[in-house]
């Protein structure tokens, strides 16, 4: 297609004479040709090529309009803007791919009037020359001056030729000057279109000034960043150069000694790691050889290798396999705890018999606070001759605490188990998992689930820490966990452990522990050995136990004993020297008013008062059942903060008594005219459970028959609606509480006979224990008048 060059001024005169013609229109996707500028564009759409062909009939003139959405292939008249540019087609070059390369030169800005699709082949539109009005000549001149100033600054930053700047400044008309600036400002086609759509020269100048100002600000930021980067690079080069000089000087001083990386390689070789670990460390050494020693990545790799070198890889301690010595050590440190000691002795026996380190068991000690779980584990480690490490799990909520942090994080480090091995300095230590029931979980993961692998004897031979990234053998480690509540341990985790339950200490055991362990320890810590020592007798210790402590363990007992000794230390230093013989009266002097009243039996002779027994988390207690009969309408009133199960036991007891009242010559109908009030002191303490069923039944019967029952006879057991006596738990604690309160006789269900064998020796010796199968057997013993009434009635009949 041949094109000829035409003069712009003559062309405008030609257009002005015939503005009624419809000029072909070429929609552009991402380019706009401003007046006075030449631009090459690729034309591929059929309607665009048709418009170019039609432009030959209009002296190669064509309208250019910016398409708002450049991604849209099919457009309509509605998609065309209202302002465009009349351009001259200077050349057209067909390409092999079917597109045309077109050189366009902008002529003048025009308004598009009534654009439409001509002959269904291309867009066309009438035009009107766009005139930019002037509102204020003075203001316009100010805007022009500011725009020229900004353009000169922009030209210096962008290295635009001074000739171009001079050509722009030589334009007499503001419109011509603005149009000559636009092609040299780096803005988008949409911004150019926005400038052309301004209605006044003032607005056009303000828009171009805003573009120049924004471009200068961006360039200022870029320049600042460029300067900072260059300065940083210079500093890094300086640091590297200095560090290299230091390294070379050190090598000269050490007469060519091998560098740090080679030292690490030698240390790794001496450790004889497994092939998997050796491969991993060789890879890290290769990275370190390629990095500068001053770089942060070098320090990360060095820290990673240091962790492996610090691990006791291949180091095992010889376990003490003499069962007698192990037993002697355990007995000397802790009183009682026979089940735990037997389990450890079984482990040592199997280890000695097999003469090999089999997969160590996972033992979990469950018991109330203060019974010696944590200290027992240390004694176990000492008795076995193994190193000891402690992992505290209480409050741990982050899974990374168990499995470690990945090395992509800043400050990452291995998990607590890898750290425990490093601390223990061997691969077969005793590791205490303290407070395993107090782990939590949140958005950072579930630590309990992360522990499933390491606490599974079948899996922990290859435990992978996220930081170390290779497996470590934990199968030779003896894990012993502690917990206060078995219910708080997740079921999958509990399934991997062998639970050994530690009950609270009995009063007679606490007495022995205080005499043999606590008092010598307290006297030594307070410096009261020798002639100034405090002499604790059994009565004074029992007073402390009964009236100043209420716990399953012995922590509070130790605190109270230490309080007494501390006060005696103060008296000694103030002049009251000499050995002190402690008495119950002096105990009250040193410790103040008793905090607890202890178990005390009521006075005899009260109808409706029965001595029952209760189990608590800190031991056993006597449980008094009191019944009062009042004139009323048969209401049953229960007080004493009773639970639902205990309330149901009272209903069963009332039904059993109503059925048997006739045997005592009492009309059962009296129950409908009597309000029954059952109270269980202490009123503020919650009580629940079925084991008070026998005591409730006998209390009601005692009230209705007005027959008192001796308070030194205690009862515990559940009773069914048919009168059968059912077994209960916590018998050891209940029996010892009964003995401590002064009970002489204890009645139990027959099904608890198996538990009587395991009662502590003091309870067996101090109590007369009887077992019965049915409530009527107890009634026959405690209420003999029932037999007489029945015999008299039979004789009368």
């Amino acid at each position: 297609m041949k094109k000829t060059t035409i003069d712009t001024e003559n062309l405008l005169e030609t257009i002005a004479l015939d503005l009624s013609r419809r000029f072909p229109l070429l929609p552009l996707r991402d380019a706009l040709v401003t007046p006075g500028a030449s631009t090459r564009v690729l034309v591929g759409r059929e309607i665009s090529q048709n418009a170019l062909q039609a432009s030959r009939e209009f002296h190669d003139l064509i309208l250019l309009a910016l398409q708002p959405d450049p991604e849209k292939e099919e457009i309509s008249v509605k998609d065309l803007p209202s302002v465009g540019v009349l351009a001259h087609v200077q050349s057209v070059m067909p390409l092999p791919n079917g597109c045309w390369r077109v050189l366009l030169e902008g002529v003048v800005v025009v308004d598009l009037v009534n654009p439409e699709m001509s002959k269904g082949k291309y867009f066309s539109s009438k035009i009107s020359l766009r005139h930019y009005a002037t509102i204020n000549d003075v203001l316009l001149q100010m805007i022009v001056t500011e725009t020229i100033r900004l353009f000169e600054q922009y030209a210096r930053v962008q290295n635009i030729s001074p000739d171009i700047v001079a050509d722009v400044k030589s334009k007499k008309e503001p419109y011509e000057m603005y149009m000559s600036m636009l092609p040299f400002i780096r803005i988008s086609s949409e911004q150019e279109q926005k400038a052309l759509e301004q209605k006044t020269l003032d607005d056009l100048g303000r828009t171009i000034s805003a573009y120049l100002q924004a471009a200068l600000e961006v360039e200022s930021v870029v320049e600042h960043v460029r300067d900072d980067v260059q300065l940083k690079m210079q500093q890094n080069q300086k640091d590297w150069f200095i560090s290299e000089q230091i390294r070379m000087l050190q090598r000269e001083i050490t007469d060519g000694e091998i560098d740090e990386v080679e030292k690490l390689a030698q240390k790794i070789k001496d450790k004889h790691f497994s092939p998997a670990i050796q491969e991993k460390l060789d890879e890290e050494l290769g990275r370190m050889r390629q990095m500068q020693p001053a770089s942060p990545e070098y320090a990360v790799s060095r820290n990673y290798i240091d962790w492996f070198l610090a691990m006791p890889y291949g180091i095992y301690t010889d376990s003490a396999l003499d069962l007698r010595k192990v037993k002697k050590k355990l007995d000397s440190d802790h009183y009682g705890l026979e089940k735990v000691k037997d389990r450890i002795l079984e482990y040592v026996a199997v280890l000695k018999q097999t003469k090999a380190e089999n997969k160590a068991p996972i033992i979990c000690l469950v018991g109330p606070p203060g019974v010696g779980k944590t200290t027992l584990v240390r004694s176990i480690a000492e008795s076995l001759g193994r190193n000891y490490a402690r992992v505290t799990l209480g409050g741990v909520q982050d899974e990374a605490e168990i499995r470690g942090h990945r090395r992509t994080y800043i400050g990452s480090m291995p998990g607590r188990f890898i750290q425990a091995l490093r601390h223990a300095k061997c691969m077969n230590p005793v590791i205490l998992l303290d407070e395993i029931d107090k782990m939590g979980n949140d958005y950072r993961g579930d630590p309990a689930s992360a522990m499933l692998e390491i606490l599974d004897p079948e899996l922990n031979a290859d435990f992978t820490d996220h930081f170390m990234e290779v497996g470590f053998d934990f199968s030779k480690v003896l894990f012993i966990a502690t917990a206060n509540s078995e219910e708080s341990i997740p079921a999958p985790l509990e399934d991997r452990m062998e639970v050994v339950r530690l009950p609270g200490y009995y009063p007679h055991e606490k007495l022995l522990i205080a005499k043999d362990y606590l008092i010598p320890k307290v006297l030594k810590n307070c410096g009261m050995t020798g002639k100034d020592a405090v002499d604790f007798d059994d009565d004074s210790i029992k007073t402390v136990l009964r009236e100043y402590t209420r716990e399953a363990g012995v922590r509070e007992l130790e605190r109270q004993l230490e309080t007494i000794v501390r006060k005696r230390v103060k008296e000694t230093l103030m002049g009251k020297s000499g050995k002190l013989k402690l008495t119950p009266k002096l105990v009250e002097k040193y410790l103040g008013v008793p905090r607890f009243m202890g178990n005390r039996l009521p006075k005899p002779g009260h109808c409706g008062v029965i001595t029952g027994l209760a189990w608590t988390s800190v031991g056993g207690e006597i449980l008094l059942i009191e019944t009062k009969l009042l004139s009323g309408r048969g209401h049953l009133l229960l007080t004493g903060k009773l639970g639902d199960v205990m309330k149901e036991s009272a209903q069963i007891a009332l039904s059993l008594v109503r059925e048997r009242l006739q045997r005592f010559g009492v009309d059962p109908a009296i129950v409908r005219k009597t309000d029954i009030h059952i109270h269980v002191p202490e009123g503020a303490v919650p009580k629940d459970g079925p084991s008070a069923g026998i005591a409730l039944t006998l209390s009601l019967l005692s009230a209705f028959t007005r027959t008192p029952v001796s308070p030194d006879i205690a009862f515990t057991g559940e009773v069914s609606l048919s009168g059968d006596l059912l077994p209960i738990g916590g018998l050891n604690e209940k029996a010892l509480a009964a003995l401590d309160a002064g009970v002489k006789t204890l009645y139990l269900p027959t099904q608890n006979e198996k538990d009587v064998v395991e009662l502590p020796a003091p309870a067996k010796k101090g109590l007369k224990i009887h077992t019965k199968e049915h409530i009527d057997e107890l009634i026959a013993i405690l209420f003999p008048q029932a037999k007489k009434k029945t015999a008299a009635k039979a004789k009368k009949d």
Side-chain angles (χ1 to χ4, degrees):
M1 185 181 296
K2 185 178 179 181
K3 294 295 174 182
T4 59
T5 303
I6 62 175
D7 181 72
T8 303
E9 293 183 0
N10 294 332
L11 177 65
L12 290 177
E13 291 178 1
T14 304
I15 297 172
L17 294 175
D18 196 5
L19 293 179
S20 62
R21 302 183 63 183
R22 301 190 68 86
F23 290 87
L25 188 147
L26 174 64
L28 300 178
R29 294 177 187 267
D30 53 3
L32 185 64
V33 183
T34 56
S38 297
T39 304
R40 283 187 173 85
V41 298
L42 285 177
V43 177
R45 287 184 290 190
E46 184 179 357
I47 58 171
S48 299
Q49 293 177 351
N50 291 339
L52 285 170
Q53 290 178 344
S55 67
R56 288 181 295 179
E57 300 177 5
F58 297 86
H59 304 286
D60 295 327
L61 294 176
I62 193 168
L63 290 174
L64 305 179
L66 185 65
Q67 180 177 325
D69 185 1
E71 301 296 329
K72 195 172 182 180
E73 184 68 25
E74 299 290 337
I75 62 172
S76 63
V77 175
K78 296 179 180 180
D79 296 324
L80 298 175
S82 60
V83 177
V85 175
L86 183 65
H88 178 232
V89 181
Q90 291 186 330
S91 66
V92 177
M93 180 182 294
L95 299 178
N97 60 0
C99 295
W100 294 354
R101 180 181 295 164
V102 182
L103 178 62
L104 300 171
E105 180 185 7
V107 177
V108 66
V109 180
V110 296
D111 290 321
L112 303 183
V113 180
N114 192 21
E116 64 180 23
M117 180 70 71
S118 296
K119 304 177 182 179
K121 294 182 178 181
Y122 59 90
F123 291 111
S124 65
S125 176
K126 291 183 178 181
I127 63 172
S128 64
L129 296 179
R130 188 170 183 80
H131 299 285
Y132 293 93
T134 302
I135 299 176
N136 188 319
D137 292 338
V138 177
L139 179 61
L140 176 62
Q141 189 59 42
M142 294 173 61
I143 296 174
V144 169
T145 303
E146 176 65 13
T147 307
I148 292 175
R149 184 185 68 81
L150 292 174
F151 185 73
E152 288 177 336
Q153 293 182 11
Y154 182 78
R156 287 194 296 271
V157 172
Q158 297 293 335
N159 295 321
I160 299 175
S161 172
D163 295 339
I164 295 176
V165 177
D167 181 64
V168 170
K169 294 172 66 177
S170 66
K171 304 294 184 184
K172 295 181 180 180
E173 295 296 330
Y175 169 79
E176 295 179 356
M177 183 188 67
Y178 291 150
M179 290 302 155
S180 62
M181 284 184 185
L182 274 178
F184 298 100
I185 305 175
R186 293 183 179 180
I187 55 177
S188 65
S189 300
E190 289 77 8
Q191 289 174 311
E192 288 183 345
Q193 177 72 25
K194 181 179 178 182
L196 297 182
E197 290 176 354
Q198 299 302 315
K199 296 182 179 180
T200 66
L201 287 175
D202 299 359
D203 293 339
L204 180 59
R206 290 191 187 96
T207 302
I208 295 176
S209 296
Y211 292 160
L212 289 169
Q213 185 67 43
L216 287 171
E217 290 177 359
V218 171
E219 188 61 33
S220 176
V221 173
V222 171
E223 184 68 23
H224 180 69
V225 172
R226 187 183 300 115
D227 292 342
D228 287 347
V229 171
Q230 186 174 3
L231 182 62
K232 186 68 174 178
M233 290 177 62
Q234 291 174 353
Q235 185 64 39
N236 288 340
Q237 290 176 352
K238 178 181 176 182
D239 293 343
W240 177 83
F241 182 74
I242 294 174
S243 63
E244 282 296 307
Q245 283 186 326
I246 294 173
R247 190 170 67 86
M248 297 300 295
L249 289 172
Q250 288 177 341
R251 177 174 292 186
E252 290 295 329
I253 293 172
T254 56
D255 196 17
E257 184 180 345
I258 57 177
D259 62 6
E260 183 181 33
V261 177
E262 298 306 322
K263 289 181 181 179
L264 291 175
Q266 185 61 42
K267 289 181 180 180
I268 293 170
K269 184 178 179 181
D270 295 340
K271 292 286 284 188
H272 302 289
F273 288 112
S274 67
I277 298 178
Q278 186 68 46
E279 181 181 355
K280 191 72 179 175
L281 296 182
D282 288 342
E283 182 180 343
E284 288 298 322
L285 288 174
R287 288 199 188 100
M288 291 179 66
R289 290 189 178 98
Q290 298 175 3
M291 290 186 289
Q292 300 178 17
S295 67
E297 291 82 4
Y298 186 92
V300 171
S301 295
R302 173 61 191 267
N303 179 53
Y304 181 67
I305 293 175
D306 284 344
W307 264 102
F308 277 96
L309 294 176
M311 294 299 294
Y313 193 81
I315 300 176
Y316 296 89
T317 57
D318 295 331
S319 298
L321 301 180
D322 190 332
L323 269 68
R324 293 183 180 87
K325 289 184 179 179
V326 174
K327 188 176 187 306
K328 183 178 179 181
K329 174 63 177 175
L330 294 176
D331 290 339
S332 65
D333 290 345
H334 290 79
Y335 178 82
L337 307 178
E338 299 302 330
K339 289 185 178 180
V340 186
K341 295 176 181 176
D342 287 343
R343 181 64 187 87
I344 299 302
L345 291 175
E346 290 169 7
Y347 169 71
V348 176
V350 172
L351 190 61
K352 183 175 182 178
Q353 184 69 21
T354 57
K355 294 181 175 58
E357 289 274 0
N358 291 332
K359 292 179 179 178
I362 314 294
I363 299 173
C364 181
L365 308 180
V366 178
V371 297
K373 301 184 296 296
T374 302
T375 56
L376 178 65
V377 179
R378 184 183 291 274
S379 297
I380 291 172
E382 293 176 1
S383 67
L384 294 177
R386 290 193 182 187
N387 295 348
Y388 166 81
R390 179 168 175 257
V391 177
T392 304
L393 298 173
V396 172
Q397 294 180 311
D398 191 351
E399 180 184 349
E401 293 286 332
I402 306 301
R403 287 195 171 274
H405 303 78
R406 298 191 184 278
R407 286 194 293 152
T408 53
Y409 296 100
I410 297 175
S412 60
M413 60 190 305
R416 296 196 178 195
F417 288 97
I418 296 294
Q419 296 180 43
L421 277 187
R422 178 178 180 176
H423 175 74
K425 299 180 181 179
C426 70
M427 297 297 290
N428 63 336
V430 175
I431 294 183
L432 166 63
L433 308 177
D434 207 9
E435 307 292 357
I436 198 172
D437 59 326
K438 294 179 177 60
M439 288 188 295
N441 62 79
D442 58 12
Y443 66 92
R444 292 168 290 184
D446 184 4
S449 299
M451 292 185 65
L452 295 178
E453 179 182 356
I454 200 163
L455 293 187
D456 193 330
E458 300 297 328
L459 301 176
N460 60 12
D462 189 31
F463 174 75
T464 302
D465 185 274
H466 287 162
F467 181 86
M468 308 300 283
E469 296 179 345
V470 291
F472 273 85
D473 185 7
F474 281 84
S475 63
K476 308 299 188 298
V477 176
L478 177 58
F479 288 104
I480 302 180
T482 66
N484 295 131
S485 173
E486 189 175 348
E487 290 76 15
S488 301
I489 305 174
L493 192 59
E494 183 181 3
D495 182 63
R496 286 162 169 78
M497 299 186 294
E498 179 181 343
V499 177
V500 179
R501 295 169 183 83
L502 279 68
Y505 290 115
Y506 303 131
H508 68 282
E509 292 178 328
K510 292 182 181 180
L511 177 63
L512 292 174
I513 291 172
K515 292 169 63 177
D516 297 341
Y517 297 91
L518 300 182
I519 292 175
K521 176 184 174 182
V522 169
L523 291 175
K524 181 180 178 181
N525 292 342
C526 294
M528 291 295 286
T529 57
K531 63 178 182 178
D532 293 330
V534 180
D535 186 9
F536 290 83
D537 62 6
D538 289 358
D539 290 338
S540 60
I541 298 174
K542 289 179 180 177
T543 301
V544 177
L545 280 170
R546 184 169 50 251
E547 299 182 0
Y548 295 93
T549 65
R550 181 168 290 179
E551 58 177 342
V554 292
R555 285 179 182 162
E556 184 63 24
L557 174 60
E558 182 178 359
R559 295 189 192 102
Q560 297 298 334
L561 294 174
E562 190 174 4
T563 300
I564 295 173
V565 176
R566 285 200 313 268
K567 292 183 180 295
R568 181 56 186 171
V569 170
K570 185 182 71 173
E571 291 179 351
T572 301
L573 295 178
M574 295 180 70
K576 295 183 180 180
S577 60
K579 193 168 187 176
L580 175 66
K581 177 72 174 179
L582 196 66
T583 63
K585 186 174 289 187
L586 287 175
V587 169
E588 186 171 348
K589 172 188 172 183
Y590 287 122
L591 298 181
V593 178
R595 297 166 56 190
F596 309 104
M597 298 304 295
N599 291 326
R600 296 183 181 180
L601 294 177
K603 294 180 180 179
H606 294 287
C607 298
V609 179
I610 297 294
T611 303
L613 299 175
W615 178 92
T616 69
S617 60
V618 296
E621 289 187 3
I622 62 170
L623 189 72
L624 297 181
I625 309 293
E626 300 176 345
T627 300
K628 286 291 183 182
L629 303 181
L630 308 169
S631 178
R633 298 183 178 181
H635 295 155
L636 177 61
L637 178 63
L638 302 173
T639 57
K641 210 167 186 181
L642 308 184
D644 292 338
V645 176
M646 202 165 181
K647 291 178 181 178
E648 292 173 356
S649 296
Q651 295 284 355
I652 293 173
L654 180 59
S655 298
L656 290 171
V657 170
R658 291 180 64 180
E659 184 183 10
R660 287 161 176 76
L661 281 179
Q662 209 164 15
R663 303 179 190 178
F664 298 88
V666 179
D667 185 5
I670 195 174
V671 177
R672 300 176 184 173
K673 304 175 183 180
T674 304
D675 284 347
I676 304 168
H677 186 176
I678 299 177
H679 179 64
V680 185
E682 302 166 352
V685 180
K687 310 165 193 75
D688 203 4
S691 62
I694 296 176
L696 287 166
T697 304
L698 298 178
S699 177
L700 285 167
L701 198 56
S702 172
F704 274 106
T705 61
R706 301 184 182 277
T707 304
V709 177
S710 175
D712 62 3
I713 304 175
F715 308 87
T716 182
E718 183 181 358
V719 62
S720 69
L721 192 58
S722 60
D724 294 327
L725 305 185
L726 305 178
I728 43 80
L731 185 58
N732 290 5
E733 291 82 357
K734 292 178 180 179
L736 290 172
L739 179 65
D740 183 58
V743 172
K744 297 178 181 178
T745 306
L746 178 60
Y747 283 96
L748 308 171
T750 302
Q751 296 182 47
N752 278 116
E753 282 183 350
K754 63 183 185 302
D755 302 316
V756 175
V757 181
E758 298 183 1
L759 282 177
K764 289 182 182 178
K765 184 178 179 181
L767 292 174
K768 294 180 181 179
I769 301 175
H770 305 282
T771 58
K772 302 298 178 183
E773 291 185 357
H774 200 275
I775 191 67
D776 288 337
E777 298 179 41
L778 288 174
I779 293 175
I781 296 172
L782 300 173
F783 304 95
Q785 68 269 33
K787 291 184 178 180
K788 297 178 182 178
K789 298 273 185 183
T790 304
K793 182 179 180 182
K795 186 176 180 180
K796 183 179 180 180
D797 293 341

